[in-house]
Amino acid sequence: MLFQVRMDVHIPLDMPVETANEIKAREKAYSQELQRQGKWRHIWRITGQYSNISIFDVESNEELHNILQGLPLYPYMNMEVTALNRHPSSIREDDR
C-alpha cells in the first residue's frame, strides 16, 4: 500500500540545541534504515519549510501508523496522510 505523508516539524524554541541535535540524529538513522528496507520509498524537502513529503510502501494502515509513531521527531510533528492508488490514465506500471 502506498501512502503520501506530509510531515511538518515544530521543535520547541526552548529545546536545548544538544537535545534537538540528538533527536535529529536518531531520526536520520531511523528514516535511513526504513529507506534501506524499501518501506520509506521517497522523501522530499519542501523548500523554505521544516517539512517534507514522503512516500511509504507498507503492508497496512497499522504498519504505517507504527512506523510514524516510531519517529523520534513524532511528538513535534503535524502529519497529513493520504492513501494512494494507481491512476488508470498512468502510462507507467510502477512509480518511476
Side-chain angles (χ1 to χ4, degrees):
M1 300 175 74
L2 292 177
F3 292 90
Q4 173 190 291
V5 180
R6 178 185 172 129
M7 300 178 204
D8 300 308
V9 181
H10 304 284
I11 295 176
L13 296 175
D14 61 349
M15 180 181 285
V17 172
E18 301 80 24
T19 302
N21 288 341
E22 188 273 329
I23 294 169
K24 290 179 201 177
R26 286 191 292 120
E27 179 88 6
K28 183 176 183 177
Y30 181 72
S31 69
Q32 288 180 342
E33 178 56 31
L34 289 166
Q35 289 173 66
R36 282 188 278 281
Q37 292 174 16
K39 297 194 179 290
W40 198 321
R41 297 277 293 273
H42 303 280
I43 182 169
W44 292 279
R45 176 170 284 158
I46 299 174
T47 303
Q49 300 178 35
Y50 195 173
S51 303
N52 73 72
I53 298 287
S54 293
I55 304 296
F56 288 86
D57 188 356
V58 294
E59 294 298 318
S60 66
N61 294 339
E62 183 178 7
E63 182 181 16
L64 178 64
H65 180 77
N66 291 335
I67 285 170
L68 296 178
Q69 280 197 318
L71 290 165
L73 285 170
Y74 179 82
Y76 312 106
M77 289 183 180
N78 293 328
M79 295 187 197
E80 182 178 317
V81 177
T82 304
L84 301 175
N85 293 293
R86 175 108 8 243
H87 196 283
S89 296
S90 177
I91 64 170
R92 293 186 173 80
E93 297 287 327
D94 57 20
D95 64 353
R96 288 181 289 131

